[in-house]
């Protein structure tokens, strides 16, 4: 009877998870489609269009018409959009007007560098924010908690470009410890071979993560410290440090782990500013340069990749929360 009950429960849980996953995948596909339509229409509405940006202000009407016909920009918008979607589904993101190379090859070269920057920033932020948030919770309403909470709010509300400039002024101009420019190279190995140049970009990207994750960790730790299992363990004579390390820490990590997926879009958005500020050769700088030169295929390719990464991050966060937090399963219908 027990085996049958367990098997039935497992089967029910598997069906629930399958329905949850299918529902989230459909939602993700719809979001990507809507984002692609909006971005496509916004880029079409640029003053002068791609032709003016590529050919320059001195281009004649005949030259612009020839360019639009060659690139298919004289077709109806609906047909243009579905032509792009058909190319995307085949893995063809088009060809850069400016660099005269396949957009997919440029993105494949740049994307790993942005991922390296994002992973280093998030990893460093977690290493700092988890013990910091717990320390604040254990010293709640004391001077240390007030000071760190104030600093976190200041960092969180400071724009990335201004924070980066402050770090450059302090560590480069005042102390002379770190270079102001990011590492340069065509491969990830070349980027990683210049760790000193990585410090300021990683620090600029990671400080906002420290402010975000530490707040979640503090709040979660405070909630868990008031749970019955903590009082029971203390009543049995278990030292507080063991209660924290064995029980409170693990249970408090759930919202932080869930937040990781939702923070991915923030990291990609921040990369646009950080990479341009430090001249870091990643996706953010590629998008910035494409916007400056009206490189239409590169802009669409970057937006597509970033939107897919954003949706995947949100999907992973939902799945993680579904697995770790049973309370999240109650909203699945």
């Amino acid at each position: 009877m027990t085996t049958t009950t367990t098997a039935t429960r497992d089967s029910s849980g598997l069906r629930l998870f399958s329905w949850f996953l299918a529902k989230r995948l459909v939602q993700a596909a719809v979001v990507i489609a809507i984002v692609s339509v909006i971005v496509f229409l916004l880029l079409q509405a640029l003053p002068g269009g791609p032709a003016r940006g590529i050919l320059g202000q001195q281009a004649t009407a005949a030259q612009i018409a020839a360019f639009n016909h060659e690139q298919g920009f004289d077709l109806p918008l609906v047909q243009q959009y579905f032509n792009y979607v058909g190319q995307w589904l085949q893995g063809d993101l088009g060809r850069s007007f400016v660099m005269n190379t396949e957009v997919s090859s440029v993105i494949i070269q740049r994307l790993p560098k942005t991922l390296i920057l994002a992973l280093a920033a998030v990893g460093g932020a977690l290493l700092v924010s988890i013990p910091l948030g717990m320390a604040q919770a254990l010293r709640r309403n004391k001077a240390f908690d007030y000071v760190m909470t104030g600093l976190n709010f200041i960092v969180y509300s400071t724009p990335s470009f201004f924070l980066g400039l402050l770090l450059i002024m302090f560590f480069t101009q005042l102390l002379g410890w770190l270079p102001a420019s990011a590492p340069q190279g065509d491969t990830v190995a070349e980027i990683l071979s210049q760790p000193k140049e990585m410090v300021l970009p990683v620090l600029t990207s990671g400080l906002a993560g420290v402010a975000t994750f530490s707040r979640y960790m503090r709040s979660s730790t405070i909630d868990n410290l008031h749970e019955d299992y903590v009082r029971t363990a203390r009543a049995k004579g278990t030292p507080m440090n063991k209660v924290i390390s064995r029980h409170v820490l693990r249970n408090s990590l759930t919202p932080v782990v869930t937040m990781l997926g939702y923070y991915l879009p923030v990291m990609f958005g921040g990369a646009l500013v950080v990479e341009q500020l430090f001249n870091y050769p990643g996706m953010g700088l590629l998008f910035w340069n494409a916007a400056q030169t009206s490189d239409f295929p590169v802009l669409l390719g970057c937006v597509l990749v970033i939107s897919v990464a954003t949706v995947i991050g949100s999907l992973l966060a939902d799945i993680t929360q579904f697995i770790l937090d049973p309370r999240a399963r109650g909203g699945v219908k």
Side-chain angles (χ1 to χ4, degrees):
M1 180 67 69
T2 303
T3 303
T4 304
T5 304
T6 302
T8 303
R9 188 184 303 113
D10 292 342
S11 177
S12 177
L14 182 60
R15 287 197 302 270
L16 185 63
F17 178 74
S18 300
W19 172 247
F20 169 82
L21 184 60
K23 180 180 178 181
R24 290 296 186 269
L25 287 174
V26 171
Q27 291 175 346
V30 171
V31 169
I32 292 175
I34 293 175
V35 168
S36 67
V37 171
I38 293 174
V39 172
F40 179 81
L41 294 177
L42 287 176
L43 293 177
Q44 288 284 354
L46 290 174
R52 181 65 65 185
I54 298 300
L55 301 179
Q57 297 298 321
Q58 304 302 320
T60 63
Q63 290 173 327
I64 292 177
F67 180 88
N68 288 335
H69 180 72
E70 180 183 355
Q71 301 297 330
F73 293 143
D74 56 348
L75 298 173
L77 285 181
V78 175
Q79 185 175 348
Q80 287 188 50
Y81 174 74
F82 282 108
N83 286 344
Y84 272 109
V85 171
Q87 293 177 358
W88 293 341
L89 293 177
Q90 298 174 16
D92 181 11
L93 299 180
R95 193 172 185 85
S96 169
F97 297 152
V98 177
M99 294 176 283
N100 194 28
T101 186
E102 295 294 330
V103 174
S104 56
S105 64
V106 178
I107 290 178
I108 290 174
Q109 184 185 36
R110 297 292 190 99
L111 184 58
K113 300 173 186 176
T114 295
L115 290 177
I116 290 294
L117 177 61
L119 290 175
V122 171
L126 289 175
L127 289 176
V128 174
S129 60
I130 290 174
L132 177 61
M134 293 196 70
Q136 286 184 251
L138 294 173
R139 297 168 177 82
R140 184 184 181 188
N141 296 329
K142 295 183 179 180
F144 175 79
D145 183 31
Y146 289 134
V147 170
M148 296 312 303
T149 299
L151 289 176
N152 283 338
F153 275 113
I154 291 174
V155 172
Y156 185 79
S157 59
T158 303
S160 297
F161 73 91
F162 186 67
L163 183 60
L165 289 175
L166 291 178
L167 293 175
I168 290 174
M169 291 173 58
F170 184 73
F171 288 105
T172 302
Q173 298 183 351
L174 183 61
L175 299 178
W177 290 354
L178 299 170
S181 60
Q184 303 297 312
D186 295 329
T187 65
V188 172
E190 292 177 344
I191 296 295
L192 294 178
S193 66
Q194 307 168 61
K196 195 173 182 180
E197 284 77 3
M198 282 288 292
V199 174
L200 285 183
V202 170
L203 196 58
T204 304
S205 299
L207 281 175
V210 172
T212 301
F213 295 138
S214 63
R215 289 167 57 203
Y216 277 86
M217 192 66 190
R218 175 187 180 274
S219 177
S220 180
T221 302
I222 290 174
D223 291 340
N224 279 278
L225 286 173
H226 291 89
E227 292 291 338
D228 291 338
Y229 71 85
V230 174
R231 287 191 289 269
T232 301
R234 292 293 291 152
K236 291 180 179 179
T238 306
M240 191 61 182
N241 59 341
K242 289 187 178 181
V243 175
I244 292 173
S245 60
R246 293 180 181 179
H247 305 289
V248 175
L249 174 60
R250 182 179 60 185
N251 294 330
S252 300
L253 285 175
T254 300
V256 177
V257 173
T258 303
M259 185 63 189
L260 280 175
Y262 296 118
Y263 196 70
L264 183 61
V266 180
M267 291 299 300
F268 270 98
L272 175 63
V273 176
V274 174
E275 292 183 8
Q276 194 275 333
L277 178 63
F278 293 99
N279 195 34
Y280 183 84
M283 284 284 293
L285 187 60
L286 176 65
F287 184 88
W288 177 268
N289 291 336
Q292 294 290 97
T293 57
S294 300
D295 200 345
F296 194 73
V298 174
L299 283 172
L300 281 176
C302 288
V303 170
L304 178 65
V305 171
I306 292 173
S307 62
V308 169
T310 299
V311 170
I312 290 175
S314 299
L315 180 62
L316 291 176
D318 289 340
I319 292 174
T320 302
Q321 187 174 17
F322 183 91
I323 295 173
L324 296 179
D325 190 355
R327 295 170 297 180
R329 303 169 195 172
V332 180
K333 299 180 180 179

